[in-house]
Structure formats: structure tokens, C-alpha cells
Amino acid sequence: MATHLILQKIFKTGIVSEPPPEADLSLRTRVQALHADILKVYGQAVAIRHVDAGSCNGCELEIHAVNGPHYNIEGMGVKFVASPRHADVLLVTGPVTRNLEIALKRTYDAIPEPKWVIAMGDCGCTGGMFGESYASCGKVSNAIPVDVEVPGCPPTPIALLQGILAAVSGERKSPAA
């Protein structure tokens, strides 16, 4: 009986989702510039190690969007890796919790030079609404050095792409500034 009511509601409501994003023609030139900068710096693909230091997972959803077919970050020569020993860039989301502070520092130390650190989201850049407390170190730069900050709650996939470009091209701090 309950299944019948659920199916009835599904048929009555129909498909509920967001419309796809509009095509951004300037994205292609930004993508080509990012790819050219990555090849100029590395001569190959750039590898990113992501660490969730205590986020709400909003930033992780945007990272998944960047990995999807619309943005196709792997097609630009940017890939995510499981080991910090294979990484060039450390992408950190969330305020750094006290429980993850040591793990984050060890991950940072395990990445070979040259390396860049990107703090993603308002929590990673400023500590967000959590700030510093007995349970939180606050922003990422309180635990490890940060090269680029990508603000937003959460930042858009384009902002993340700009942050990666800022990191590999040698720009510092917020790419939006």
C-alpha cells in the first residue's frame, strides 16, 4: 500500500532537477590557458591530493563537479591522486580540526618540492563559522603554509579552476582578488 502511494506521488510530481548550466564559451580559452600553464610548469599533468580537514562536504561536491564531463578537468591535464608522494598540489577543504592537524602536516611534508597548497572554501580560507576553538585550528594557514585561497561557501567549479591556475602559474593568495 505504501509503495503505491510513493509511486503515485512520483508520477504526480514528475522530474525535479536543476536545468543544466549555460555553455560558457570563455571557459574553453580559460581551459586552454590552464593546460598551457600546466605544461609550461610541469611539462606533464599536474597531480592534486585532496584532504578534507573537517568540511561539511559542500566543497567536495564542487570538486566532484569539476571532475565531471562538463568541466573535464582531467582533459586539461589535472588529475587527483591518492598518494601525497605523487602530488604536486595539496587541496585542503574545511577548517582544520585538531584531530586532523597532524595528518594534514604529514601529508604536506610527504609532497615533494615544488609543491603548492590551495585552501578551498570560506572555512579553509578563514575558519568560517567554526573559527578557532578547542576542536578547530581554524583556517588552513594556521596549520600549514598556503599559496592560494579560493573563497566561497562553497566556491564554484570555475573559481576552483582559477585557483588551480593561480597555483601553477605562481600567483599567490585569492585568485578572485
Side-chain angles (χ1 to χ4, degrees):
M1 182 69 176
T3 305
H4 178 307
L5 295 174
I6 292 171
L7 289 174
Q8 191 175 25
K9 183 170 182 157
I10 290 171
F11 289 129
K12 183 179 177 184
T13 305
I15 297 173
V16 179
S17 66
E18 296 178 358
E22 292 293 322
D24 184 0
L25 300 178
S26 66
L27 178 62
R28 180 171 297 207
T29 57
R30 286 186 261 175
V31 165
Q32 290 170 344
L34 174 63
H35 187 65
D37 283 347
I38 289 169
L39 292 177
K40 187 175 14 171
V41 172
Y42 290 102
Q44 59 189 12
V46 64
I48 297 176
R49 172 69 172 120
H50 168 244
V51 173
D52 177 351
S55 78
C56 68
N57 288 334
C59 292
E60 281 71 18
L61 292 173
E62 300 305 317
I63 291 170
H64 289 302
V66 164
N67 277 321
H70 184 73
Y71 296 99
N72 189 22
I73 196 168
E74 276 200 31
M76 296 180 227
V78 178
K79 61 182 179 173
F80 285 83
V81 294
S83 172
R85 299 195 190 288
H86 300 150
D88 305 305
V89 175
L90 178 59
L91 175 63
V92 186
T93 57
V96 180
T97 62
R98 299 278 180 201
N99 291 339
L100 282 169
E101 183 179 12
I102 294 171
L104 179 62
K105 288 178 180 178
R106 286 182 180 167
T107 302
Y108 175 79
D109 291 339
I111 297 175
E113 293 289 341
K115 59 186 163 190
W116 291 269
V117 177
I118 301 173
M120 181 178 177
D122 287 342
C123 293
C125 297
T126 66
M129 63 187 201
F130 304 101
E132 293 181 46
S133 69
Y134 71 94
S136 174
C137 299
K139 60 186 178 179
V140 176
S141 62
N142 288 347
I144 59 174
V146 172
D147 297 303
V148 175
E149 294 176 344
V150 182
C153 187
T156 63
I158 293 292
L160 177 57
L161 289 172
Q162 290 171 336
I164 294 168
L165 175 60
V168 299
S169 65
E171 295 175 24
R172 295 292 181 240
K173 293 302 173 190
S174 175

